[in-house]
Amino acid sequence: MTVQAIKDQLQDAAHPIAKSFHTGDHFKVLLFGFKKGMKLEDHTAHHPTKLLVLEGEVIYHQPKKDVRLKQFDEIDIPAEVEHSVAALDDSLVLLTQG
């Protein structure tokens, strides 16, 4: 139901939609939905994070590094490193932190 809720909200959204998928004592799993052209602006994560593309295609950017990720591609995001994510297509990504 979380994925469908994101897709429903994206229809009228101007920014990426994020929802918590699962949380524990030492971890968090988030889902982000993007329409083509949407961007999650520069930010940092306080814990090591893994990004997995479930649908679509995104560009992951951090200083001196741009990585194009398609469905089922993944990347590790170090803690406290500024980065952004931009959608090249309608996309759904899963983030695990902790």
Side-chain angles (χ1 to χ4, degrees), residues 5-97:
I6 290 171
K7 288 185 175 193
D8 291 345
Q9 289 181 20
L10 271 176
Q11 292 177 17
D12 300 319
H15 303 286
I17 301 295
K19 296 224 176 267
S20 177
F21 186 67
H22 189 62
T23 304
D25 291 339
H26 303 287
F27 73 92
K28 184 174 7 175
V29 181
L30 304 167
L31 287 167
F32 280 81
F34 297 82
K35 285 193 288 192
K36 181 178 181 178
M38 286 183 168
K39 183 176 182 181
L40 191 58
E41 297 294 337
D42 287 341
H43 62 284
T44 58
H46 300 298
H47 302 284
T49 302
K50 183 173 287 271
L51 181 152
L52 169 67
V53 179
L54 298 175
E55 293 179 2
E57 185 173 1
V58 301
I59 291 276
Y60 168 82
H61 170 80
Q62 70 183 51
K64 299 182 183 182
K65 182 178 185 178
D66 285 310
V67 180
R68 190 176 192 138
L69 301 165
K70 297 180 181 182
Q71 187 176 34
F72 307 132
D73 289 343
E74 60 190 63
I75 192 165
D76 289 315
I77 303 172
E80 308 303 336
V81 171
E82 190 171 77
H83 62 280
S84 64
V85 179
L88 298 173
D89 200 355
D90 291 353
S91 301
L92 183 68
V93 301
L94 181 116
L95 291 161
T96 57
Q97 296 183 323

